[in-house]
Amino acid sequence: MRYMSKGIKADIGQSKAQEIIDRVVELRPWLREHQAAAERQRRIPQETIERLDAAGVFGLTTPKRYGGADFTTREVHDIFRALGSGCGATGWMVWAAAGGNLWSCAFDDDVVAPVYESPWVGNRTFAVGGTSRRTSGTARQVDGGWMIKGAWPFATGSAHASHGYLAVFYDEVDDAKVGMVLVPKDSLAARDDWDAMGMAATGSQTVATDGELFVPDGYFSTPKRLTERLAGLTERGLGPRRGGLARSLVTGAGVALGMADHAMEVFLGAIGKRGIPYSPYAKQADAPITHLTVGRAHTQIRAAAAVADAAVAQLDRLEAAEADPAEPDTLQLHTDVAYIWDACGSAVETLFRASGASAITKRQPLQLIARNCRAGSLHAAHGIDTWMENVGRELCGSEAPPASMSVLERRS
């Protein structure tokens, strides 16, 4: 069948989800040992990429019809939770790169097949832009294609990819006229400008054109085209699982839970070794305030996991029924994800603040986990106040102007 890749990649792509989780758990000591170095390099180290690739992790970033993984929402979520428990930035990068699976459906097979079917180590593509003109480029139509130009910040996964899906606006005033182009990464300039207080290792640098860049017609697509192609591929059993961006966000919330798991493990591993200065407790483990702190953080993590479990189960039920989430469902799923990230960030911060002054040193892992988890919670799609307001407005029956949205959420 022409849609399937040949060789080792196809074999890895067909690994069972539990096998990949088991390999990630085996890699966990490596990921933890090297996450500080990854932060200093501001990208995932190449050896880590190679180990993840050998474990089959990048099957998540390859479309199903080219030999990539075809897992349930539960399975993908659990893989990301395992990755987040090893290194939050690594889990985030893999999750972000998986966004290309959807955008691959917007282009004809003769355009994307050469990208995904050729040998590669790591994620083949990255996707960026679309919620605003500030994070997107522009395009103007010419004979045979489009001339694009611009700069795309937050290009997570671009450090290791060969191609990028980039959002472009093709009208100067109409924000509804937005599309996506597929371009080779070597046709772009990487600005190496990603230097953040959290998620620094994701390599989310800015990529830009040098003046205008010609893109052939076949390498330009729109949300309308994506919707039509998705329907056709799904009908033939070649498309991704249902749920779109909401499903992606729900699975990615596993990264937040994994970081919270790691933070709790680190904290519990230290309380028997340190005391609380200026208190009668020679061991932190004996102090009632420690019990309160652990109980509060544990309950926050458990509640976040319960919300995640409900969202995951809902998406898998919809998939079994061959149905897409309705608009109210999508709104609630977005809100659930924002809650999970906020709760995990709060729990990790609680543990960090109870860890004493020594926890601020770079050799201690908890400070990095706290910064990574807080950074993830600040992503535009995870803004707790925005989504609480949105779901509250819906429940109150209050009207509001149309909200901004990503290219994947546009349907016209």
Side-chain angles (χ1 to χ4, degrees):
M1 180 174 171
R2 78 173 297 276
Y3 294 101
M4 299 301 294
S5 306
K6 295 179 173 61
I8 188 169
K9 289 289 185 169
D11 295 337
I12 289 175
Q14 300 308 314
S15 295
K16 293 180 180 178
Q18 189 57 52
E19 292 173 353
I20 294 179
I21 292 172
D22 292 343
R23 294 172 196 150
V24 170
V25 171
E26 289 177 12
L27 276 174
R28 191 176 290 162
W30 170 274
L31 294 172
R32 292 178 176 181
E33 181 183 350
H34 289 83
Q35 65 176 344
E39 181 179 51
R40 289 193 298 272
Q41 294 178 29
R42 294 178 293 118
R43 61 188 291 169
I44 309 302
Q46 184 59 32
E47 187 171 355
T48 298
I49 294 293
E50 292 168 3
R51 288 172 181 248
L52 292 170
D53 191 86
V57 168
F58 289 107
L60 298 175
T61 71
T62 304
K64 167 186 173 181
R65 64 194 189 281
Y66 300 118
D70 180 30
F71 298 145
T72 65
T73 307
R74 172 86 269 164
E75 291 168 331
V76 178
H77 173 87
D78 289 351
I79 292 171
F80 283 132
R81 187 166 184 171
L83 281 169
S85 181
C87 172
T90 297
W92 182 280
M93 190 280 288
V94 177
W95 164 71
N101 290 347
L102 275 169
W103 271 113
S104 72
C105 300
F107 299 86
D108 290 335
D109 293 322
D110 58 357
V111 170
V112 289
V115 174
Y116 289 106
E117 289 185 339
S118 56
W120 192 257
V121 174
N123 56 295
R124 249 311 186 175
T125 59
F126 65 96
V128 64
T131 53
S132 71
R133 291 180 182 268
R134 189 179 66 82
T135 58
S136 307
T138 60
R140 62 182 181 88
Q141 196 163 17
V142 296
D143 288 343
W146 300 77
M147 299 299 295
I148 71 164
K149 67 177 179 179
W152 292 263
F154 310 113
T156 305
S158 59
H160 304 286
S162 67
H163 288 71
Y165 296 101
L166 306 176
V168 289
F169 286 84
Y170 55 96
D171 186 277
E172 292 184 2
V173 294
D174 187 352
D175 286 351
K177 293 187 176 179
V178 62
M180 210 77 163
V181 292
L182 174 62
V183 300
K185 190 183 77 174
D186 61 14
S187 66
L188 304 168
R191 292 185 175 173
D192 192 26
D193 57 355
W194 181 246
D195 193 7
M197 57 74 69
M199 293 293 184
T202 59
S204 303
Q205 62 191 345
T206 300
V207 295
T209 58
D210 182 9
E212 287 192 313
L213 175 68
F214 176 73
V215 176
D217 271 327
Y219 292 77
F220 174 94
S221 193
T222 64
K224 183 176 185 293
R225 173 69 167 154
L226 170 65
T227 303
E228 293 169 350
R229 287 266 297 159
L230 269 174
L233 287 167
T234 299
E235 217 173 284
R236 294 154 57 198
L238 297 172
R241 302 262 178 161
R242 297 172 186 272
L245 182 61
R247 180 176 185 266
S248 171
L249 293 170
V250 168
T251 59
V255 176
L257 287 162
M259 286 191 282
D261 293 338
H262 187 194
M264 181 63 80
E265 181 182 335
V266 169
F267 186 81
L268 292 176
I271 58 175
K273 303 173 186 176
R274 67 181 300 272
I276 301 179
Y278 301 101
S279 83
Y281 302 107
K283 285 188 177 180
Q284 188 180 14
D286 296 331
I289 187 62
T290 302
H291 309 155
L292 176 64
T293 297
V294 170
R296 178 180 290 117
H298 164 75
T299 302
Q300 283 183 299
I301 297 166
R302 189 168 183 270
V307 171
D309 288 344
V312 164
Q314 180 181 8
L315 284 163
D316 279 338
R317 283 195 303 271
L318 288 168
E319 175 67 26
E322 298 184 353
D324 291 306
E327 282 190 25
D329 296 328
T330 299
L331 172 59
Q332 186 60 60
L333 290 168
H334 273 276
T335 307
D336 290 346
V337 170
Y339 173 83
I340 294 162
W341 275 97
D342 183 72
C344 288
S346 177
V348 173
E349 185 67 24
T350 295
L351 297 172
F352 175 58
R353 289 176 62 85
S355 296
S358 62
I360 70 172
T361 61
K362 287 292 185 74
R363 69 177 180 274
Q364 299 295 336
L366 196 48
Q367 51 78 30
L368 178 53
I369 301 168
R371 289 186 287 111
N372 281 345
C373 201
R374 181 53 60 197
S377 74
L378 294 174
H379 187 275
H382 302 154
I384 185 66
D385 291 336
T386 298
W387 288 105
M388 289 296 180
E389 178 191 341
N390 288 343
V391 78
R393 183 190 307 114
E394 176 74 14
L395 291 169
C396 292
S398 179
E399 295 292 329
S404 62
M405 61 183 69
S406 77
V407 190
L408 285 173
E409 294 168 293
R410 299 169 189 258
R411 289 293 180 265
S412 62

